Amino acid sequence: MNTISISANGESRSGGQGGELRHVHGLGINPGDGKVYVATHHGVYRIEAPGKAAQVGTGRQDTMGFTVIGENTFLGSGHPAPGQGGPSNLGLIESSDAAATWRTLSLAGQADFHALEYAHGTVYGYDSTSQRLRVSADKMTWDNRAQLDAADIEVSPADRGIVLATTEQGVARSTDGGRTFRPSGGVPQLLLSWPAADVLYAVDPAGTLSRSADGGDIWKTISTVPGGPPQAFEAVDARHLLAATDGGIYESRDGGATFTRLLPLS
């Protein structure tokens, strides 16, 4: 395993084969070990301690889509590492050993999911190749739903029919499981996370963190995520937040009122 320590100025110092932690696409906490996992342009990392991360497994794929769905079980998508071979789009891939290894489930060569959500026993993925929401109950067969230009998607934890998508025109809302969307207006957001029925978070392109108690109709500004433009965001629960910005990986334990940097980015 390649371990990387990040110095105070953000320079990466690594042992073994070397590597860099940058270009973050996804974040999550593995219930199996309680660690923060970081999906990047160069594989998946685990934060071992403040300022220290270890690259997991031998896979160096560009992990564009990423979500933790259970103990040691992750879903991903993206592109193979240079020289890895195979199709340029990975489709849906899964790890059952906390990113040590990955296997292809479906849509290899066909889909590049830039956003993945797992809710109500169902996978919701935004496929950047077709700009379409695709949904699967078994991770193998897919239903093609609405086509739209989105940066992120989220599914209501209380109602499988309610799906949100961030667009340049604002947050779009679906009430039919993503088959159709309508604009809901408001300030455009970039990243969403919906940990509880009455707790929906959004981060805009400037890093402003907002919260909604009614599924996105009314937003309350909470704070600004430190470190510049946001790269990834995940609400583990209503109070525990993870965010990646140009300045590093940050964590909040108080619903976004304050953040602590776990790791600078190289």
Side-chain angles (χ1 to χ4, degrees), residues 90-93 104-108 113 136 139-142:
L90 295 175
L92 184 70
I93 58 176
T104 300
L105 295 181
S106 55
L107 297 179
F113 292 114
S136 177
K139 306 175 191 170
M140 302 296 292
T141 57
W142 294 83

Side-chain angles (χ1 to χ4, degrees), residues 27-31 34 36 68 117 154 157 192-202 209-212 222 233-243 250-259:
L27 297 163
I29 288 187
N30 176 17
V36 176
V68 177
E117 294 296 331
E154 254 299 349
L192 300 170
S193 195
W194 206 340
D198 60 347
V199 182
L200 169 64
Y201 286 101
L209 174 67
S210 300
R211 175 171 168 163
S212 175
I222 303 298
F233 177 73
E234 179 70 18
V236 181
D237 57 38
R239 303 282 291 172
H240 189 184
L241 313 181
L242 301 172
Y250 294 84
E251 179 181 52
S252 174
R253 296 278 187 169
D254 56 12
T258 61
F259 283 87

